[in-house]
Amino acid sequence: MMIAGLQRLTLIDYPGKLACIVFTSGCPLRCPYCHNPHLVGAIKSDKQILAEGGMTESDFFDFLDKRVGKIDGVVITGGEPSIHPGLIDFIKKVRAKGFLIKLDSDGVNPAILEKVIDQKLVDYIAMDIKHSKNKYYIAAGVKYPIKKITESVDIIMNSGVDYEFRTTVVPTIHEYKDFEDISEWIAGAKNYYLQQYREDTTLDPTLPSRTKGQTMDLDKIKDIMSKELDNIKIRKAYS
């Protein structure tokens, strides 16, 4: 599996652990606020990934060998990792070196999530909850089958694996009532994060001009959701 990008150290992306972050290319969603727009779309060719500063799997493992004993785990994110045919084999190779695995996902491929859980290949899963069920397409940018998203939520909540759900709160895309609907959908979830939207880089270049000067009170949203969720945290900086 080709590596579209590598962050050599993160202190915040894997809660309680030191890790590196592997970025994969390609994602079927088109979230207008996506802050990795260069990773959206079809999976890029090996040649294109290398031309854009990516690396081969072999080069990544050369790097990882030098991090044994220095970091705890590897965060696999995107894009959307679950669309890559080589994901499971890649995870197995990382685990064989003694590293923990955190997998980030949009929940678009529940079958792969079920496989990595059943095969005990992941230690932590972070899934984005883009919006309430009936408005999901607004935040996702496409009308992706909500059945697949809800299936992924159910798989994760019943997996026994440590996990979090998270929502990036975007003015003009979300309203306060939406978070009441989300909390009812994922009621009882173990961990939930409200993430602050960043205007610096977005897939939709017109979005920052529409959100400029507009804010949503994350503490107010936390209060709205607290009836259904016990462990809500606010993440004002994320990668």
Side-chain angles (χ1 to χ4, degrees), residues 50-199:
L50 291 175
E52 294 178 357
M55 63 174 62
T56 64
E57 187 175 296
S58 176
D59 286 340
F60 169 72
F61 282 111
D62 286 344
F63 156 81
L64 200 60
D65 285 340
K66 297 173 184 176
R67 294 299 182 270
V68 173
K70 297 179 181 178
I71 62 173
D72 306 304
V74 176
V75 177
I76 306 174
T77 189
E80 173 51 49
S82 69
I83 66 175
H84 284 263
L87 176 66
I88 289 178
D89 285 342
F90 177 75
I91 292 175
K92 287 179 178 178
K93 292 175 186 176
V94 174
R95 289 186 74 82
K97 293 181 179 293
F99 292 94
L100 301 172
I101 297 288
K102 174 178 177 274
L103 180 65
D104 291 351
S105 179
D106 290 336
V108 297
N109 196 341
I112 289 296
L113 289 179
E114 194 163 42
K115 282 183 180 180
V116 297
I117 289 167
D118 288 348
Q119 294 180 36
K120 303 185 186 306
L121 297 177
V122 289
D123 304 285
Y124 195 102
I125 298 174
M127 178 179 162
D128 294 321
I129 303 293
K130 306 291 185 181
H131 215 304
S132 59
K133 290 181 186 179
N134 63 331
K135 291 184 177 180
Y136 217 82
Y137 68 96
I138 297 174
V142 294
K143 290 189 175 181
Y144 199 84
I146 192 64
K147 182 179 180 181
K148 286 185 177 289
I149 306 299
T150 58
E151 186 178 347
S152 292
V153 168
D154 291 342
I155 288 169
I156 291 170
M157 288 186 70
N158 292 289
S159 67
V161 174
D162 203 7
Y163 71 89
E164 69 179 57
F165 295 126
R166 58 199 187 182
T167 304
T168 301
V169 180
V170 187
T172 74
I173 288 178
H174 297 109
E175 300 175 4
Y176 288 106
K177 174 63 169 65
D178 299 325
F179 292 94
E180 182 178 345
D181 296 338
I182 292 172
S183 69
E184 291 174 356
W185 172 16
I186 62 169
K190 184 175 182 180
N191 297 296
Y192 179 76
Y193 285 85
L194 292 164
Q195 295 186 156
Q196 190 172 49
Y197 156 68
R198 294 191 330 214
E199 290 182 344

Side-chain angles (χ1 to χ4, degrees), residues 6-18:
L6 173 66
Q7 182 174 325
R8 295 172 181 270
L9 180 66
T10 175
L11 305 178
I12 62 173
D13 286 82
Y14 194 147
K17 306 293 182 184
L18 296 177

Side-chain angles (χ1 to χ4, degrees), residues 1-5 22-25 43-51 54-60 84 86 90:
M1 187 174 77
M2 293 293 289
I3 311 302
V22 167
F23 294 88
T24 62
S25 74
I43 298 174
K44 295 181 179 181
S45 69
D46 294 0
K47 184 177 181 180
Q48 187 175 4
I49 287 173
L50 291 175
M55 63 174 62
T56 64
E57 187 175 296
S58 176
D59 286 340
F60 169 72
H84 284 263
F90 177 75

